[in-house]
Amino acid sequence: MSFEVADAEFVAIVGPSGCGKSTILNMLGGLVAPSAGAIEVDGRPVTDVPPRVGYVFQRDTVFPWRTVRRNIALGLEYRGVRGAELEARVREGIRLAGLEGFEDAFPATLSGGMRQRVALMRTLVVDPEILLMDEPFGALDTHTKLTLHAELLGLWEARHQTVVFVTHDLSEAITLADRIIVMTRRPGRIKLVHDVRISRPRDVIKLRETDEYAHEYGVIWHVLGEELAEPGP
Ligand SMILES: Nc1ncnc2c1ncn2[C@@H]1O[C@H](COP(=O)(O)OP(=O)(O)O)[C@@H](O)[C@H]1O
Ligand SMILES: [Mg+2]
């Protein structure tokens, strides 16, 4: 597969389970080397100049033995941020994540949505240029998911990171992305690249009642459904 993502663009990749979405994301992040082909950022191999990449995974990856505050501090600590600057940036992250009052709570005492907010904010406080998200809200209930969609869009509209967001949830892809890449089932290829023509800012709830949303959904579902319907090998 071959595709480009523009600076500050929000791209979603959808496709059947096992088609290689996570693999692609790992290669974009420089975690896995492609056996053939090349991945470039600003015209240079991703392995030469690792861009400031933030990664958010499906399973919340917060550390159970660290409090909310110390989980959010983690990425900054790795980058050598210390003292008053560390404290200020963590405080700002906690505010943006709406986790004030939970600074000293341990993950086990939080809801799934709150834990995923901690994971998201731990990634965002380091101010990544490129944000790679692998079904980050996949394990959450619909209401929590919508809340986090609204929050993510708010954060993205303020900073405009370049985002590649993997999901198997088409509604989520339409709600969030500028462009959707639909993959075939394994071996994964690009089946369709679709521009989402829904203006911003988007209201994640009202959006779903609009004709535009229904239209986008119909067009992509038709294509994605073909991949889901046929039995795998
Ligand atoms: N192009 C490929 N060639 C060989 N194996 C692949 C390829 N893409 C993915 N895989 C393998 O297929 C499996 C599922 O891939 P994964 O990226 O986890 O899919 P998804 O995230 O879409 O569910 C993994 O074991 C992965 O190593
Ligand atoms: Mg995956």
Side-chain angles (χ1 to χ4, degrees):
M1 62 193 282
S2 175
F3 63 94
E4 290 184 21
V5 180
D7 192 27
E9 189 181 18
F10 199 130
V11 170
I13 300 179
V14 296
S17 179
C19 74
K21 302 183 294 296
S22 296
T23 306
I24 297 284
L25 220 54
N26 288 336
M27 290 193 286
L28 294 180
L31 302 174
V32 171
S35 48
I39 295 168
E40 294 180 346
V41 176
D42 292 336
R44 297 169 68 186
V46 67
T47 40
D48 278 17
V49 243
R52 279 212 314 280
V53 171
Y55 219 126
V56 186
F57 300 90
Q58 168 170 12
R59 295 294 302 272
D60 62 65
T61 46
V62 296
F63 292 105
W65 59 86
R66 284 184 162 235
T67 61
V68 166
R69 189 199 311 275
R70 301 213 48 235
N71 262 293
I72 291 181
L74 195 68
L76 292 166
E77 288 172 7
Y78 279 148
R79 282 167 177 76
V81 180
R82 296 280 182 273
E85 193 197 339
L86 177 66
E87 212 175 292
R89 287 174 72 176
V90 170
R91 202 179 315 116
E92 172 70 358
I94 286 169
R95 191 185 65 76
L96 288 172
L99 288 166
E100 287 141 318
F102 293 92
E103 290 85 345
D104 298 314
F106 285 93
T109 66
L110 304 175
S111 69
M114 290 164 91
R115 277 201 296 276
Q116 205 53 329
R117 260 188 209 125
V118 174
L120 177 61
M121 200 44 67
R122 184 179 61 201
T123 303
L124 290 179
V125 284
V126 304
D127 203 13
E129 298 166 282
I130 300 176
L131 194 52
L132 303 176
M133 307 184 79
D134 195 355
E135 308 201 27
F137 308 139
L140 303 175
D141 64 87
T142 307
H143 177 250
T144 307
K145 205 189 249 198
L146 287 173
T147 309
L148 284 167
H149 287 163
E151 290 174 14
L152 175 63
L153 284 179
L155 293 163
W156 178 75
E157 264 145 26
R159 274 318 224 299
H160 277 283
Q161 299 91 346
T162 303
V163 184
V164 181
F165 188 107
V166 162
T167 178
H168 57 250
D169 178 346
L170 182 53
S171 315
E172 176 169 75
I174 295 169
T175 302
L176 298 173
D178 294 317
R179 202 148 55 96
I180 299 176
I181 295 174
V182 181
M183 289 178 72
T184 65
R185 64 187 188 284
R186 196 167 41 184
R189 309 227 182 285
I190 293 180
K191 181 144 189 192
L192 172 75
V193 178
H194 181 85
D195 287 311
V196 179
R197 289 180 222 282
I198 299 179
S199 61
R200 298 189 189 270
R202 297 176 184 169
D203 179 321
V204 302
I205 309 269
K206 292 209 180 107
L207 177 73
R208 297 194 184 210
E209 294 174 22
T210 63
D211 294 342
E212 289 87 347
Y213 176 86
H215 175 76
E216 301 288 330
Y217 198 98
V219 170
I220 304 171
W221 184 252
H222 178 72
V223 173
L224 184 60
E226 289 172 350
E227 294 306 310
L228 300 176
E230 291 172 53

